[in-house]
């Protein structure tokens, strides 16, 4: 009987160690990928500048495709965030940050 009890305790501790490790990894990943509103503003600015350059050299086709892709991404992010937990301006701000927050890495 003791052997079976020791195995269960060992499995419980292994499971708790695994859960703790997964939580630590997720926390570290969230910290690395975290972006804020100024970074999103920078991402939007870079997108607008790139869009002007694309419009200058390629014409209206790509000039409409690029903002359409960003709009679709924003609507998808807004939908997911709204379903998740946030509503109102908080949801819009979080979707904006999710869409253009990559400006943090420029």
């Amino acid at each position: 009987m003791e052997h079976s009890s020791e195995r269960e305790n060992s499995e419980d501790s292994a499971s708790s160690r695994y859960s703790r490790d997964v939580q630590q990894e997720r926390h570290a990943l969230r910290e690395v990928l975290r972006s804020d509103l100024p970074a999103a503003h920078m991402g939007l600015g870079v997108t607008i500048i790139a869009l002007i350059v694309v419009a200058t050299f390629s014409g209206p086709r790509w000039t409409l495709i690029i903002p359409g892709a960003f709009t679709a991404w924003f609507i998808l992010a807004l939908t997911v965030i709204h379903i998740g937990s946030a509503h109102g301006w908080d949801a819009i701000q979080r979707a904006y940050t999710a869409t253009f927050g990559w400006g943090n890495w420029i």
Side-chain angles (χ1 to χ4, degrees), residues 8-26:
E8 288 176 8
N9 286 338
S10 175
E11 289 174 2
D12 288 341
S13 65
S15 176
S16 66
R17 279 194 312 269
Y18 175 76
S19 296
R20 186 180 64 244
D21 289 345
V22 168
Q23 287 176 346
Q24 288 174 348
E25 289 293 323
R26 287 180 181 170

Side-chain angles (χ1 to χ4, degrees), residues 21-57:
D21 289 345
V22 168
Q23 287 176 346
Q24 288 174 348
E25 289 293 323
R26 287 180 181 170
H27 179 72
L29 185 61
R30 277 194 301 269
E31 288 298 317
V32 168
L33 296 178
R34 179 162 292 175
S35 61
D36 53 359
L37 204 54
H41 292 328
M42 182 179 283
L44 177 63
V46 169
T47 301
I48 290 171
I49 291 169
L51 187 59
I52 291 169
V53 170
V54 167
T56 303
F57 292 110

